[in-house]
Amino acid sequence: RPRVLSGIQPTAGSFHLGNYLGAVRQWVALQESHDAFYMVVDLHAITIPQDPKELRANTRMAVAQLLAAGLDPDRCTLFVQSHVPEHAQLAWVMNCLTGFGEASRMTQFKDKSAKQGADRASVGLFTYPILQVADILMYQANEVPVGEDQRQHIELTRDLAERFNSRFGETFTIPKPYILKETAKIYDLQDPTIKMSKSASTPKGLINLLDDPKATAKKVKSAVTDTDTVVRYDTENKPGVSNLLTIYSTLTGKTVAELEAEYEGKMYGALKTDLADVVVDFVTPFKERTQQYLDDPETLDALLAKGAEKARAVAAETLASTYERVGFLPAK
Ligand code: AQP
């Protein structure tokens, strides 16, 4: 079975709808067909300041949400990044293989550091994509299911894997991004020209899955559309309506064409009211299931210990062969 690897940050507590539709939903599907490794990336989280207590709580909350979304620890390897120390070790080797200019070209770093102020941004934030390279190469992943915003980092991963392989001999599988066109980028409900994001979106533009469903329904109903009235998928001229159709279609399984036909002659209000119900029907049981997992932290931690053990078996092997290729003297 081909292998997939992906990760999600535990930074915000709740996942948002962009995280779910752009990434986590694909993770759930891929565990059926692939040898799947999924992790909560707490090492990535500390690239920006975190409160230690909150980070710990948010890490468990992220795991609970992944289980609530449908990940099954019997069918995938689910773990926390810091439980597998090889990630930081391989990242160092990859750091030494990356050009400074090459790392400087990562647009996510440019965006995020600009927001924080260049002097306040940590070196960790700068090398974050290289840690991600190590995350992916560690498991010899064939595919990496992510949203569009991560495409550049997968490209960097491919470049570094090829560089390492040509310099030191075949070591790493060259991975491909796995990005579904329809849900590659879910947009902010208030500004449908920017991606829905925990750092850039205003509260009204962002749907957090664990928020009060009533508040979520309100946000959907007040989503920004346009001055026209026709419900039609047209990302150029109708980014707001198109975004709502994408969300609607993905959560219900109806095609966009079916929805366009269903709402022919109806106003945007009807679309938004119905979509609010669809979203509420999704988030309500999701929130309940997440809480059930959180209520039993021992089971959660035991499951993570098993996941880390499975992940380490692969990680230790990759790190050992990397160290050997690089020329480190084996420890006796
Ligand atoms: N709006 C989105 N549409 C589609 N996919 C998205 N992802 C994030 N936002 C969207 C995907 O979610 C996965 C996990 O992302 P992460 O843990 O790296 O979080 P992030 O990218 O940091 O999430 P945000 O909200 O976008 O955070 P900020 O604001 O800090 O940048 C990834 O696969 C990502 O592509």
Side-chain angles (χ1 to χ4, degrees):
R1 280 165 33 125
R3 195 171 273 173
V4 288
L5 172 284
S6 198
I8 189 157
Q9 294 200 61
T11 34
S14 177
F15 295 165
H16 60 70
L17 199 59
N19 297 141
Y20 175 71
L21 296 179
V24 174
R25 200 167 167 277
Q26 278 65 264
W27 298 12
V28 176
L30 288 167
Q31 65 183 345
E32 308 302 334
S33 51
H34 287 64
D35 183 17
F37 286 74
Y38 300 127
M39 60 180 172
V40 175
V41 291
D42 51 355
L43 297 185
H44 286 280
I46 64 162
T47 53
I48 54 170
Q50 298 295 331
D51 173 78
K53 245 203 206 138
E54 262 176 47
L55 178 59
R56 235 185 308 276
N58 285 342
T59 301
R60 279 215 186 91
M61 201 182 291
V63 176
Q65 288 173 90
L66 291 174
L67 295 168
L71 288 191
D72 174 356
D74 289 329
R75 281 183 291 170
C76 68
T77 303
L78 175 60
F79 62 101
V80 171
Q81 189 182 27
S82 65
H83 292 177
V84 181
E86 285 83 354
H87 287 265
Q89 295 173 289
L90 185 61
W92 179 253
V93 177
M94 292 299 151
N95 268 312
C96 297
L97 209 70
T98 312
F100 191 83
E102 190 176 28
S104 308
R105 284 193 291 275
M106 295 297 117
T107 54
Q108 260 213 355
F109 172 74
K110 285 197 234 172
D111 293 349
K112 289 191 180 181
S113 60
K115 245 176 263 155
Q116 287 186 35
D119 290 342
R120 301 249 303 278
S122 71
V123 175
L125 187 65
F126 182 67
T127 65
Y128 169 130
I130 304 161
L131 175 59
Q132 205 176 319
V133 168
D135 296 340
I136 297 166
L137 298 184
M138 186 78 82
Y139 299 96
Q140 310 287 0
N142 305 96
E143 288 178 285
V144 188
V146 284
E148 183 60 39
D149 57 342
Q150 296 296 325
R151 189 186 288 278
Q152 197 189 24
H153 295 166
I154 315 296
E155 273 309 310
L156 178 70
T157 309
R158 293 169 58 86
D159 289 347
L160 289 176
E162 278 165 7
R163 190 172 309 161
F164 190 99
N165 286 353
S166 72
R167 197 173 296 175
F168 299 105
E170 278 308 305
T171 308
F172 297 115
T173 303
I174 314 293
K176 281 200 293 262
Y178 179 95
I179 300 174
L180 292 190
K181 210 167 85 228
E182 298 76 22
T183 50
K185 199 166 178 183
I186 300 298
Y187 293 88
D188 183 297
L189 294 186
Q190 286 298 310
D191 179 356
T193 61
I194 61 165
K195 74 162 189 171
M196 185 181 284
S197 125
K198 60 181 175 286
S199 61
S201 292
T202 58
K204 279 184 77 182
L206 176 74
I207 293 189
N208 277 319
L209 302 185
L210 299 180
D211 279 354
D212 171 25
K214 276 201 202 103
T216 294
K218 238 187 184 164
K219 288 185 197 178
V220 175
K221 286 182 197 163
S222 55
V224 164
T225 43
D226 52 61
T227 51
D228 189 24
T229 54
V230 183
V231 174
R232 184 164 46 84
Y233 187 85
D234 173 353
T235 50
E236 190 95 340
N237 301 303
K238 294 168 158 286
V241 173
S242 303
N243 190 40
L244 297 181
L245 285 171
T246 299
I247 296 170
Y248 201 145
S249 159
T250 316
L251 287 178
T252 57
K254 292 182 189 175
T255 65
V256 167
E258 280 167 355
L259 290 170
E260 283 174 338
E262 195 174 325
Y263 288 93
E264 202 180 322
K266 293 186 188 159
M267 299 293 200
Y268 291 159
L271 173 75
K272 290 190 206 175
T273 308
D274 292 349
L275 178 58
D277 288 342
V278 166
V279 175
V280 166
D281 286 347
F282 170 71
V283 293
T284 306
F286 178 87
K287 198 170 142 77
E288 282 167 16
R289 284 198 300 273
T290 300
Q291 192 53 51
Q292 283 166 10
Y293 288 113
L294 282 175
D295 287 342
D296 186 3
E298 282 87 34
T299 304
L300 215 67
D301 291 354
L303 167 167
L304 288 174
K306 261 199 190 152
E309 199 184 318
K310 272 161 72 186
R312 281 201 80 174
V314 179
E317 210 175 295
T318 306
L319 189 74
S321 61
T322 307
Y323 272 19
E324 195 264 325
R325 299 269 152 87
V326 166
F328 291 159
L329 187 67
K332 289 282 175 216

